[in-house]
Amino acid sequence: KAGVTQTPRYLIKTRGQQVTLSCSPISGHRSVSWYQQTPGQGLQFLFEYFSETQRNKGNFPGRFSGRQFSNSRSEMNVSTLELGDSALYLCASSASGGGSGRAGELFFGEGSRLTVL
Amino acid sequence: GENVEQHPSTLSVQEGDSAVIKCTYSDSASNYFPWYKQELGKGPQLIIDIRSNVGEKKDQRIAVTLNKTAKHFSLHITETQPEDSAVYFCAASPSGDDKIIFGKGTRLHILP
């Protein structure tokens, strides 16, 4: 069974640009969560999607957005990039979610490392 | 919302000794507490988890304890080995919610 796939793995952008990251979950998983990982802040929750609906959102500005498609693949977008957006963005899929109230194992991809110059 | 504090941020132990990482959470309604291990260049991977109806869970050299009254939980690794060197994250998930909130991580070094 293929794992969670994230593309691109590395990218460099300049301040003010926007970026779109893609995530393909494990087949059959309908929940996709996104996290930002930085050395000082650890793993910070961005949002969770289930069946094309955003079910949870973390404390990030509106420049961070996402969506999920009918095949459960997900994208996240960051507009008007700032230097502080440089981070590893991790996507995780789960067989749980959807408002079940019973969180389960997250399966992470290897991440997309974004550098903002 | 839920907040998870994790200590220490860095831990060095001699190979063969035990390692303990501690976490506290703020939301008394949280009922799911997983631990993840992240090796260099990889995404985090679940190593053990515990739900609030259990006080302790063990899997070979790894164990997790949960104290709901004090709102803290701990990871114990016994007989540490070089391959245990990694970053470990604790996490919590509030009851009725599916999102998982992580601590800031502990970098564990196993010294030869």
Side-chain angles (χ1 to χ4, degrees), chain A residues 35 37 40-43 45 48 56 97-106 108-109, chain B residues 31-32 36 38 41-44 46 51 89 93 96-104:
Chain A
Y35 291 85
Q37 184 174 16
Q41 297 299 318
L43 288 166
F45 176 77
E48 183 219 352
N56 280 296
S100 67
R102 188 174 172 83
E105 181 175 1
L106 294 175
F108 283 88
Chain B
N31 65 354
Y32 176 62
Y36 284 78
Q38 185 177 30
K42 297 185 179 180
L46 180 73
R51 296 200 184 264
F89 292 95
S93 181
D97 204 341
D98 298 319
K99 69 182 179 186
I100 295 177
I101 303 302
F102 286 82
K104 293 186 178 181

PDB file of all heavy atoms in Angstrom, chain A residues 35 37 40-43 45 48 56 97-106 108-109, chain B residues 31-32 36 38 41-44 46 51 89 93 96-104:
ATOM      1  N   TYR A  35       0.267  20.170   8.814  1.00  0.00           N
ATOM      2  CA  TYR A  35       1.021  20.721   9.930  1.00  0.00           C
ATOM      3  C   TYR A  35       2.206  21.512   9.399  1.00  0.00           C
ATOM      4  O   TYR A  35       2.782  21.171   8.373  1.00  0.00           O
ATOM      5  CB  TYR A  35       1.540  19.612  10.849  1.00  0.00           C
ATOM      6  CG  TYR A  35       0.463  18.895  11.634  1.00  0.00           C
ATOM      7  CD1 TYR A  35      -0.232  17.828  11.082  1.00  0.00           C
ATOM      8  CD2 TYR A  35       0.150  19.295  12.933  1.00  0.00           C
ATOM      9  CE1 TYR A  35      -1.225  17.178  11.795  1.00  0.00           C
ATOM     10  CE2 TYR A  35      -0.845  18.643  13.660  1.00  0.00           C
ATOM     11  CZ  TYR A  35      -1.520  17.588  13.079  1.00  0.00           C
ATOM     12  OH  TYR A  35      -2.503  16.948  13.791  1.00  0.00           O
ATOM     13  N   GLN A  37       6.012  22.540  10.470  1.00  0.00           N
ATOM     14  CA  GLN A  37       7.064  22.187  11.415  1.00  0.00           C
ATOM     15  C   GLN A  37       8.222  23.154  11.302  1.00  0.00           C
ATOM     16  O   GLN A  37       8.816  23.327  10.228  1.00  0.00           O
ATOM     17  CB  GLN A  37       7.566  20.759  11.180  1.00  0.00           C
ATOM     18  CG  GLN A  37       8.609  20.332  12.220  1.00  0.00           C
ATOM     19  CD  GLN A  37       9.017  18.881  12.117  1.00  0.00           C
ATOM     20  OE1 GLN A  37       8.778  18.215  11.113  1.00  0.00           O
ATOM     21  NE2 GLN A  37       9.628  18.373  13.162  1.00  0.00           N
ATOM     22  N   GLY A  40      11.671  25.881  16.251  1.00  0.00           N
ATOM     23  CA  GLY A  40      11.292  26.436  17.542  1.00  0.00           C
ATOM     24  C   GLY A  40       9.887  26.092  18.004  1.00  0.00           C
ATOM     25  O   GLY A  40       9.606  26.105  19.203  1.00  0.00           O
ATOM     26  N   GLN A  41       9.015  25.784  17.078  1.00  0.00           N
ATOM     27  CA  GLN A  41       7.594  25.597  17.411  1.00  0.00           C
ATOM     28  C   GLN A  41       7.089  24.175  17.252  1.00  0.00           C
ATOM     29  O   GLN A  41       5.933  23.890  17.546  1.00  0.00           O
ATOM     30  CB  GLN A  41       6.734  26.530  16.548  1.00  0.00           C
ATOM     31  CG  GLN A  41       7.006  27.995  16.781  1.00  0.00           C
ATOM     32  CD  GLN A  41       6.736  28.420  18.211  1.00  0.00           C
ATOM     33  OE1 GLN A  41       5.744  28.009  18.825  1.00  0.00           O
ATOM     34  NE2 GLN A  41       7.640  29.193  18.783  1.00  0.00           N
ATOM     35  N   GLY A  42       7.934  23.278  16.806  1.00  0.00           N
ATOM     36  CA  GLY A  42       7.473  21.901  16.667  1.00  0.00           C
ATOM     37  C   GLY A  42       6.451  21.750  15.559  1.00  0.00           C
ATOM     38  O   GLY A  42       6.536  22.402  14.529  1.00  0.00           O
ATOM     39  N   LEU A  43       5.452  20.898  15.795  1.00  0.00           N
ATOM     40  CA  LEU A  43       4.410  20.627  14.806  1.00  0.00           C
ATOM     41  C   LEU A  43       3.175  21.450  15.147  1.00  0.00           C
ATOM     42  O   LEU A  43       2.523  21.217  16.153  1.00  0.00           O
ATOM     43  CB  LEU A  43       4.036  19.147  14.821  1.00  0.00           C
ATOM     44  CG  LEU A  43       5.035  18.161  14.253  1.00  0.00           C
ATOM     45  CD1 LEU A  43       4.656  16.741  14.652  1.00  0.00           C
ATOM     46  CD2 LEU A  43       5.099  18.274  12.750  1.00  0.00           C
ATOM     47  N   PHE A  45      -0.623  22.664  14.108  1.00  0.00           N
ATOM     48  CA  PHE A  45      -1.767  22.244  13.328  1.00  0.00           C
ATOM     49  C   PHE A  45      -2.278  23.387  12.443  1.00  0.00           C
ATOM     50  O   PHE A  45      -2.542  24.486  12.920  1.00  0.00           O
ATOM     51  CB  PHE A  45      -2.870  21.780  14.283  1.00  0.00           C
ATOM     52  CG  PHE A  45      -4.160  21.407  13.619  1.00  0.00           C
ATOM     53  CD1 PHE A  45      -4.296  20.189  12.961  1.00  0.00           C
ATOM     54  CD2 PHE A  45      -5.249  22.263  13.654  1.00  0.00           C
ATOM     55  CE1 PHE A  45      -5.488  19.847  12.353  1.00  0.00           C
ATOM     56  CE2 PHE A  45      -6.438  21.934  13.057  1.00  0.00           C
ATOM     57  CZ  PHE A  45      -6.567  20.719  12.407  1.00  0.00           C
ATOM     58  N   GLU A  48      -7.647  20.477   9.011  1.00  0.00           N
ATOM     59  CA  GLU A  48      -8.010  19.103   8.721  1.00  0.00           C
ATOM     60  C   GLU A  48      -9.182  19.098   7.749  1.00  0.00           C
ATOM     61  O   GLU A  48     -10.141  19.871   7.905  1.00  0.00           O
ATOM     62  CB  GLU A  48      -8.407  18.344   9.990  1.00  0.00           C
ATOM     63  CG  GLU A  48      -8.735  16.871   9.737  1.00  0.00           C
ATOM     64  CD  GLU A  48      -9.905  16.360  10.560  1.00  0.00           C
ATOM     65  OE1 GLU A  48     -10.380  17.086  11.452  1.00  0.00           O
ATOM     66  OE2 GLU A  48     -10.351  15.216  10.308  1.00  0.00           O
ATOM     67  N   ASN A  56     -11.550  21.305  10.820  1.00  0.00           N
ATOM     68  CA  ASN A  56     -10.829  21.954  11.911  1.00  0.00           C
ATOM     69  C   ASN A  56      -9.814  22.912  11.315  1.00  0.00           C
ATOM     70  O   ASN A  56      -9.279  22.663  10.228  1.00  0.00           O
ATOM     71  CB  ASN A  56     -10.082  20.931  12.774  1.00  0.00           C
ATOM     72  CG  ASN A  56     -10.986  20.232  13.762  1.00  0.00           C
ATOM     73  OD1 ASN A  56     -11.551  20.848  14.660  1.00  0.00           O
ATOM     74  ND2 ASN A  56     -11.134  18.927  13.596  1.00  0.00           N
ATOM     75  N   GLY A  97     -11.417  10.528  11.635  1.00  0.00           N
ATOM     76  CA  GLY A  97     -11.848  11.858  11.221  1.00  0.00           C
ATOM     77  C   GLY A  97     -13.307  11.888  10.839  1.00  0.00           C
ATOM     78  O   GLY A  97     -14.048  10.942  11.076  1.00  0.00           O
ATOM     79  N   GLY A  98     -13.711  12.991  10.283  1.00  0.00           N
ATOM     80  CA  GLY A  98     -15.089  13.135   9.836  1.00  0.00           C
ATOM     81  C   GLY A  98     -16.061  13.403  10.952  1.00  0.00           C
ATOM     82  O   GLY A  98     -17.258  13.136  10.820  1.00  0.00           O
ATOM     83  N   GLY A  99     -15.534  13.924  12.067  1.00  0.00           N
ATOM     84  CA  GLY A  99     -16.428  14.227  13.175  1.00  0.00           C
ATOM     85  C   GLY A  99     -16.757  13.032  14.029  1.00  0.00           C
ATOM     86  O   GLY A  99     -17.705  13.072  14.821  1.00  0.00           O
ATOM     87  N   SER A 100     -15.986  11.972  13.890  1.00  0.00           N
ATOM     88  CA  SER A 100     -16.243  10.782  14.695  1.00  0.00           C
ATOM     89  C   SER A 100     -15.944  11.042  16.166  1.00  0.00           C
ATOM     90  O   SER A 100     -16.443  10.335  17.039  1.00  0.00           O
ATOM     91  CB  SER A 100     -15.388   9.613  14.199  1.00  0.00           C
ATOM     92  OG  SER A 100     -14.009   9.872  14.438  1.00  0.00           O
ATOM     93  N   GLY A 101     -15.092  12.060  16.411  1.00  0.00           N
ATOM     94  CA  GLY A 101     -14.708  12.343  17.784  1.00  0.00           C
ATOM     95  C   GLY A 101     -13.765  11.320  18.357  1.00  0.00           C
ATOM     96  O   GLY A 101     -13.501  11.296  19.554  1.00  0.00           O
ATOM     97  N   ARG A 102     -13.250  10.467  17.517  1.00  0.00           N
ATOM     98  CA  ARG A 102     -12.328   9.438  17.972  1.00  0.00           C
ATOM     99  C   ARG A 102     -11.116   9.471  17.048  1.00  0.00           C
ATOM    100  O   ARG A 102     -11.042   8.734  16.061  1.00  0.00           O
ATOM    101  CB  ARG A 102     -12.994   8.069  17.953  1.00  0.00           C
ATOM    102  CG  ARG A 102     -12.154   6.978  18.585  1.00  0.00           C
ATOM    103  CD  ARG A 102     -12.935   5.665  18.672  1.00  0.00           C
ATOM    104  NE  ARG A 102     -12.086   4.560  19.095  1.00  0.00           N
ATOM    105  CZ  ARG A 102     -11.783   4.285  20.359  1.00  0.00           C
ATOM    106  NH1 ARG A 102     -12.251   5.050  21.336  1.00  0.00           N
ATOM    107  NH2 ARG A 102     -11.007   3.277  20.666  1.00  0.00           N
ATOM    108  N   ALA A 103     -10.174  10.342  17.395  1.00  0.00           N
ATOM    109  CA  ALA A 103      -8.977  10.487  16.582  1.00  0.00           C
ATOM    110  C   ALA A 103      -8.187   9.193  16.563  1.00  0.00           C
ATOM    111  O   ALA A 103      -8.206   8.414  17.518  1.00  0.00           O
ATOM    112  CB  ALA A 103      -8.119  11.618  17.133  1.00  0.00           C
ATOM    113  N   GLY A 104      -7.502   8.965  15.458  1.00  0.00           N
ATOM    114  CA  GLY A 104      -6.698   7.763  15.326  1.00  0.00           C
ATOM    115  C   GLY A 104      -5.352   8.079  14.731  1.00  0.00           C
ATOM    116  O   GLY A 104      -4.955   9.237  14.610  1.00  0.00           O
ATOM    117  N   GLU A 105      -4.644   7.047  14.318  1.00  0.00           N
ATOM    118  CA  GLU A 105      -3.276   7.192  13.854  1.00  0.00           C
ATOM    119  C   GLU A 105      -3.208   8.096  12.625  1.00  0.00           C
ATOM    120  O   GLU A 105      -3.986   7.957  11.690  1.00  0.00           O
ATOM    121  CB  GLU A 105      -2.683   5.831  13.518  1.00  0.00           C
ATOM    122  CG  GLU A 105      -1.231   5.894  13.050  1.00  0.00           C
ATOM    123  CD  GLU A 105      -0.625   4.522  12.837  1.00  0.00           C
ATOM    124  OE1 GLU A 105      -1.322   3.513  13.036  1.00  0.00           O
ATOM    125  OE2 GLU A 105       0.581   4.469  12.496  1.00  0.00           O
ATOM    126  N   LEU A 106      -2.228   8.991  12.662  1.00  0.00           N
ATOM    127  CA  LEU A 106      -1.910   9.816  11.510  1.00  0.00           C
ATOM    128  C   LEU A 106      -0.747   9.184  10.767  1.00  0.00           C
ATOM    129  O   LEU A 106       0.234   8.758  11.373  1.00  0.00           O
ATOM    130  CB  LEU A 106      -1.506  11.224  11.943  1.00  0.00           C
ATOM    131  CG  LEU A 106      -2.569  12.100  12.610  1.00  0.00           C
ATOM    132  CD1 LEU A 106      -1.957  13.414  13.077  1.00  0.00           C
ATOM    133  CD2 LEU A 106      -3.728  12.342  11.664  1.00  0.00           C
ATOM    134  N   PHE A 108       2.030  10.182   8.151  1.00  0.00           N
ATOM    135  CA  PHE A 108       2.638  11.382   7.602  1.00  0.00           C
ATOM    136  C   PHE A 108       3.400  11.111   6.312  1.00  0.00           C
ATOM    137  O   PHE A 108       3.994  10.043   6.126  1.00  0.00           O
ATOM    138  CB  PHE A 108       3.627  11.992   8.603  1.00  0.00           C
ATOM    139  CG  PHE A 108       2.979  12.741   9.729  1.00  0.00           C
ATOM    140  CD1 PHE A 108       2.605  12.095  10.885  1.00  0.00           C
ATOM    141  CD2 PHE A 108       2.753  14.110   9.620  1.00  0.00           C
ATOM    142  CE1 PHE A 108       2.008  12.788  11.940  1.00  0.00           C
ATOM    143  CE2 PHE A 108       2.165  14.814  10.665  1.00  0.00           C
ATOM    144  CZ  PHE A 108       1.789  14.147  11.820  1.00  0.00           C
ATOM    145  N   GLY A 109       3.410  12.118   5.450  1.00  0.00           N
ATOM    146  CA  GLY A 109       4.312  12.122   4.321  1.00  0.00           C
ATOM    147  C   GLY A 109       5.674  12.638   4.769  1.00  0.00           C
ATOM    148  O   GLY A 109       5.879  12.925   5.957  1.00  0.00           O
TER     149      GLY A 109
ATOM    150  N   ASN B  31      -8.838  12.823  25.275  1.00  0.00           N
ATOM    151  CA  ASN B  31      -8.948  11.404  25.600  1.00  0.00           C
ATOM    152  C   ASN B  31      -8.078  10.498  24.756  1.00  0.00           C
ATOM    153  O   ASN B  31      -8.187   9.271  24.831  1.00  0.00           O
ATOM    154  CB  ASN B  31     -10.421  10.971  25.473  1.00  0.00           C
ATOM    155  CG  ASN B  31     -10.923  11.068  24.043  1.00  0.00           C
ATOM    156  OD1 ASN B  31     -10.232  11.548  23.161  1.00  0.00           O
ATOM    157  ND2 ASN B  31     -12.141  10.610  23.833  1.00  0.00           N
ATOM    158  N   TYR B  32      -7.223  11.082  23.933  1.00  0.00           N
ATOM    159  CA  TYR B  32      -6.350  10.262  23.087  1.00  0.00           C
ATOM    160  C   TYR B  32      -4.969  10.889  23.086  1.00  0.00           C
ATOM    161  O   TYR B  32      -4.825  12.096  22.830  1.00  0.00           O
ATOM    162  CB  TYR B  32      -6.923  10.198  21.665  1.00  0.00           C
ATOM    163  CG  TYR B  32      -6.049   9.463  20.679  1.00  0.00           C
ATOM    164  CD1 TYR B  32      -5.738   8.107  20.858  1.00  0.00           C
ATOM    165  CD2 TYR B  32      -5.542  10.102  19.558  1.00  0.00           C
ATOM    166  CE1 TYR B  32      -4.953   7.433  19.938  1.00  0.00           C
ATOM    167  CE2 TYR B  32      -4.752   9.437  18.645  1.00  0.00           C
ATOM    168  CZ  TYR B  32      -4.458   8.108  18.843  1.00  0.00           C
ATOM    169  OH  TYR B  32      -3.676   7.437  17.936  1.00  0.00           O
ATOM    170  N   TYR B  36       4.813  10.089  18.734  1.00  0.00           N
ATOM    171  CA  TYR B  36       5.379   9.913  17.413  1.00  0.00           C
ATOM    172  C   TYR B  36       6.892  10.055  17.468  1.00  0.00           C
ATOM    173  O   TYR B  36       7.434  10.827  18.251  1.00  0.00           O
ATOM    174  CB  TYR B  36       4.804  10.947  16.439  1.00  0.00           C
ATOM    175  CG  TYR B  36       3.396  10.636  15.980  1.00  0.00           C
ATOM    176  CD1 TYR B  36       2.298  10.898  16.811  1.00  0.00           C
ATOM    177  CD2 TYR B  36       3.161  10.064  14.738  1.00  0.00           C
ATOM    178  CE1 TYR B  36       1.016  10.586  16.403  1.00  0.00           C
ATOM    179  CE2 TYR B  36       1.876   9.757  14.318  1.00  0.00           C
ATOM    180  CZ  TYR B  36       0.818  10.022  15.160  1.00  0.00           C
ATOM    181  OH  TYR B  36      -0.461   9.711  14.750  1.00  0.00           O
ATOM    182  N   GLN B  38      10.216  10.863  14.986  1.00  0.00           N
ATOM    183  CA  GLN B  38      10.610  11.400  13.691  1.00  0.00           C
ATOM    184  C   GLN B  38      12.104  11.235  13.493  1.00  0.00           C
ATOM    185  O   GLN B  38      12.901  11.814  14.231  1.00  0.00           O
ATOM    186  CB  GLN B  38      10.224  12.880  13.557  1.00  0.00           C
ATOM    187  CG  GLN B  38      10.499  13.453  12.179  1.00  0.00           C
ATOM    188  CD  GLN B  38      10.051  14.895  12.051  1.00  0.00           C
ATOM    189  OE1 GLN B  38      10.035  15.648  13.002  1.00  0.00           O
ATOM    190  NE2 GLN B  38       9.661  15.301  10.834  1.00  0.00           N
ATOM    191  N   GLY B  41      14.895  13.487   8.109  1.00  0.00           N
ATOM    192  CA  GLY B  41      14.442  13.458   6.720  1.00  0.00           C
ATOM    193  C   GLY B  41      13.142  12.722   6.484  1.00  0.00           C
ATOM    194  O   GLY B  41      12.730  12.549   5.335  1.00  0.00           O
ATOM    195  N   LYS B  42      12.496  12.306   7.571  1.00  0.00           N
ATOM    196  CA  LYS B  42      11.245  11.557   7.416  1.00  0.00           C
ATOM    197  C   LYS B  42      10.109  12.246   8.161  1.00  0.00           C
ATOM    198  O   LYS B  42      10.332  13.108   9.006  1.00  0.00           O
ATOM    199  CB  LYS B  42      11.418  10.135   7.937  1.00  0.00           C
ATOM    200  CG  LYS B  42      12.447   9.317   7.179  1.00  0.00           C
ATOM    201  CD  LYS B  42      12.481   7.883   7.676  1.00  0.00           C
ATOM    202  CE  LYS B  42      13.480   7.044   6.903  1.00  0.00           C
ATOM    203  NZ  LYS B  42      13.519   5.635   7.381  1.00  0.00           N
ATOM    204  N   GLY B  43       8.899  11.829   7.858  1.00  0.00           N
ATOM    205  CA  GLY B  43       7.766  12.326   8.605  1.00  0.00           C
ATOM    206  C   GLY B  43       7.623  11.564   9.916  1.00  0.00           C
ATOM    207  O   GLY B  43       8.147  10.457  10.059  1.00  0.00           O
ATOM    208  N   PRO B  44       6.934  12.125  10.898  1.00  0.00           N
ATOM    209  CA  PRO B  44       6.731  11.425  12.166  1.00  0.00           C
ATOM    210  C   PRO B  44       5.956  10.125  11.964  1.00  0.00           C
ATOM    211  O   PRO B  44       5.124  10.009  11.060  1.00  0.00           O
ATOM    212  CB  PRO B  44       5.895  12.431  12.981  1.00  0.00           C
ATOM    213  CG  PRO B  44       6.156  13.757  12.349  1.00  0.00           C
ATOM    214  CD  PRO B  44       6.331  13.472  10.888  1.00  0.00           C
ATOM    215  N   LEU B  46       3.890   7.002  14.253  1.00  0.00           N
ATOM    216  CA  LEU B  46       3.319   6.593  15.534  1.00  0.00           C
ATOM    217  C   LEU B  46       4.093   5.428  16.125  1.00  0.00           C
ATOM    218  O   LEU B  46       4.380   4.447  15.436  1.00  0.00           O
ATOM    219  CB  LEU B  46       1.857   6.189  15.343  1.00  0.00           C
ATOM    220  CG  LEU B  46       1.113   5.740  16.599  1.00  0.00           C
ATOM    221  CD1 LEU B  46       0.828   6.933  17.489  1.00  0.00           C
ATOM    222  CD2 LEU B  46      -0.175   4.994  16.253  1.00  0.00           C
ATOM    223  N   ARG B  51      -5.435   5.667  25.272  1.00  0.00           N
ATOM    224  CA  ARG B  51      -6.697   6.378  25.411  1.00  0.00           C
ATOM    225  C   ARG B  51      -6.982   6.567  26.896  1.00  0.00           C
ATOM    226  O   ARG B  51      -6.419   5.871  27.741  1.00  0.00           O
ATOM    227  CB  ARG B  51      -7.818   5.640  24.687  1.00  0.00           C
ATOM    228  CG  ARG B  51      -7.555   5.596  23.175  1.00  0.00           C
ATOM    229  CD  ARG B  51      -8.771   5.324  22.335  1.00  0.00           C
ATOM    230  NE  ARG B  51      -8.396   5.212  20.927  1.00  0.00           N
ATOM    231  CZ  ARG B  51      -8.460   6.212  20.057  1.00  0.00           C
ATOM    232  NH1 ARG B  51      -8.897   7.401  20.437  1.00  0.00           N
ATOM    233  NH2 ARG B  51      -8.095   6.037  18.796  1.00  0.00           N
ATOM    234  N   PHE B  89       7.626  13.243  19.646  1.00  0.00           N
ATOM    235  CA  PHE B  89       6.541  14.194  19.874  1.00  0.00           C
ATOM    236  C   PHE B  89       5.425  13.514  20.650  1.00  0.00           C
ATOM    237  O   PHE B  89       4.992  12.413  20.295  1.00  0.00           O
ATOM    238  CB  PHE B  89       5.960  14.696  18.555  1.00  0.00           C
ATOM    239  CG  PHE B  89       6.875  15.553  17.746  1.00  0.00           C
ATOM    240  CD1 PHE B  89       7.660  15.006  16.740  1.00  0.00           C
ATOM    241  CD2 PHE B  89       6.954  16.922  17.974  1.00  0.00           C
ATOM    242  CE1 PHE B  89       8.508  15.804  15.980  1.00  0.00           C
ATOM    243  CE2 PHE B  89       7.796  17.726  17.227  1.00  0.00           C
ATOM    244  CZ  PHE B  89       8.574  17.161  16.228  1.00  0.00           C
ATOM    245  N   SER B  93      -5.596  14.725  21.789  1.00  0.00           N
ATOM    246  CA  SER B  93      -6.763  15.009  20.970  1.00  0.00           C
ATOM    247  C   SER B  93      -7.969  15.154  21.882  1.00  0.00           C
ATOM    248  O   SER B  93      -8.294  14.233  22.648  1.00  0.00           O
ATOM    249  CB  SER B  93      -6.996  13.892  19.964  1.00  0.00           C
ATOM    250  OG  SER B  93      -8.119  14.192  19.153  1.00  0.00           O
ATOM    251  N   GLY B  96     -14.405  14.323  21.262  1.00  0.00           N
ATOM    252  CA  GLY B  96     -15.368  14.913  20.343  1.00  0.00           C
ATOM    253  C   GLY B  96     -14.726  15.643  19.183  1.00  0.00           C
ATOM    254  O   GLY B  96     -15.426  16.217  18.346  1.00  0.00           O
ATOM    255  N   ASP B  97     -13.416  15.609  19.128  1.00  0.00           N
ATOM    256  CA  ASP B  97     -12.702  16.291  18.052  1.00  0.00           C
ATOM    257  C   ASP B  97     -11.782  15.289  17.375  1.00  0.00           C
ATOM    258  O   ASP B  97     -11.442  14.261  17.944  1.00  0.00           O
ATOM    259  CB  ASP B  97     -11.875  17.439  18.639  1.00  0.00           C
ATOM    260  CG  ASP B  97     -11.579  18.524  17.632  1.00  0.00           C
ATOM    261  OD1 ASP B  97     -11.681  18.246  16.416  1.00  0.00           O
ATOM    262  OD2 ASP B  97     -11.231  19.646  18.040  1.00  0.00           O
ATOM    263  N   ASP B  98     -11.403  15.580  16.159  1.00  0.00           N
ATOM    264  CA  ASP B  98     -10.516  14.668  15.448  1.00  0.00           C
ATOM    265  C   ASP B  98      -9.118  15.234  15.276  1.00  0.00           C
ATOM    266  O   ASP B  98      -8.217  14.519  14.860  1.00  0.00           O
ATOM    267  CB  ASP B  98     -11.099  14.348  14.066  1.00  0.00           C
ATOM    268  CG  ASP B  98     -12.441  13.645  14.165  1.00  0.00           C
ATOM    269  OD1 ASP B  98     -12.582  12.767  15.039  1.00  0.00           O
ATOM    270  OD2 ASP B  98     -13.339  13.981  13.386  1.00  0.00           O
ATOM    271  N   LYS B  99      -8.940  16.524  15.578  1.00  0.00           N
ATOM    272  CA  LYS B  99      -7.609  17.083  15.367  1.00  0.00           C
ATOM    273  C   LYS B  99      -6.673  16.640  16.482  1.00  0.00           C
ATOM    274  O   LYS B  99      -7.095  16.356  17.605  1.00  0.00           O
ATOM    275  CB  LYS B  99      -7.663  18.605  15.282  1.00  0.00           C
ATOM    276  CG  LYS B  99      -7.993  19.303  16.583  1.00  0.00           C
ATOM    277  CD  LYS B  99      -8.054  20.809  16.364  1.00  0.00           C
ATOM    278  CE  LYS B  99      -8.414  21.520  17.666  1.00  0.00           C
ATOM    279  NZ  LYS B  99      -8.612  22.970  17.438  1.00  0.00           N
ATOM    280  N   ILE B 100      -5.403  16.561  16.148  1.00  0.00           N
ATOM    281  CA  ILE B 100      -4.387  16.141  17.097  1.00  0.00           C
ATOM    282  C   ILE B 100      -3.388  17.277  17.263  1.00  0.00           C
ATOM    283  O   ILE B 100      -2.840  17.772  16.277  1.00  0.00           O
ATOM    284  CB  ILE B 100      -3.697  14.848  16.608  1.00  0.00           C
ATOM    285  CG1 ILE B 100      -4.722  13.703  16.594  1.00  0.00           C
ATOM    286  CG2 ILE B 100      -2.507  14.503  17.495  1.00  0.00           C
ATOM    287  CD1 ILE B 100      -4.198  12.390  16.068  1.00  0.00           C
ATOM    288  N   ILE B 101      -3.178  17.684  18.513  1.00  0.00           N
ATOM    289  CA  ILE B 101      -2.285  18.793  18.836  1.00  0.00           C
ATOM    290  C   ILE B 101      -0.992  18.239  19.410  1.00  0.00           C
ATOM    291  O   ILE B 101      -1.017  17.445  20.353  1.00  0.00           O
ATOM    292  CB  ILE B 101      -2.948  19.757  19.833  1.00  0.00           C
ATOM    293  CG1 ILE B 101      -4.280  20.267  19.272  1.00  0.00           C
ATOM    294  CG2 ILE B 101      -2.013  20.922  20.165  1.00  0.00           C
ATOM    295  CD1 ILE B 101      -4.166  20.988  17.935  1.00  0.00           C
ATOM    296  N   PHE B 102       0.128  18.687  18.867  1.00  0.00           N
ATOM    297  CA  PHE B 102       1.427  18.150  19.242  1.00  0.00           C
ATOM    298  C   PHE B 102       2.185  19.071  20.198  1.00  0.00           C
ATOM    299  O   PHE B 102       2.000  20.295  20.193  1.00  0.00           O
ATOM    300  CB  PHE B 102       2.286  17.949  17.992  1.00  0.00           C
ATOM    301  CG  PHE B 102       1.885  16.773  17.153  1.00  0.00           C
ATOM    302  CD1 PHE B 102       0.843  16.869  16.246  1.00  0.00           C
ATOM    303  CD2 PHE B 102       2.547  15.557  17.266  1.00  0.00           C
ATOM    304  CE1 PHE B 102       0.454  15.787  15.481  1.00  0.00           C
ATOM    305  CE2 PHE B 102       2.174  14.462  16.492  1.00  0.00           C
ATOM    306  CZ  PHE B 102       1.128  14.581  15.598  1.00  0.00           C
ATOM    307  N   GLY B 103       3.060  18.455  20.994  1.00  0.00           N
ATOM    308  CA  GLY B 103       4.038  19.198  21.759  1.00  0.00           C
ATOM    309  C   GLY B 103       5.168  19.623  20.835  1.00  0.00           C
ATOM    310  O   GLY B 103       5.170  19.300  19.645  1.00  0.00           O
ATOM    311  N   LYS B 104       6.170  20.346  21.398  1.00  0.00           N
ATOM    312  CA  LYS B 104       7.230  20.887  20.553  1.00  0.00           C
ATOM    313  C   LYS B 104       8.347  19.908  20.268  1.00  0.00           C
ATOM    314  O   LYS B 104       9.264  20.218  19.502  1.00  0.00           O
ATOM    315  CB  LYS B 104       7.789  22.164  21.185  1.00  0.00           C
ATOM    316  CG  LYS B 104       6.771  23.299  21.188  1.00  0.00           C
ATOM    317  CD  LYS B 104       7.387  24.604  21.673  1.00  0.00           C
ATOM    318  CE  LYS B 104       6.330  25.705  21.612  1.00  0.00           C
ATOM    319  NZ  LYS B 104       6.870  27.015  22.038  1.00  0.00           N
TER     320      LYS B 104
END
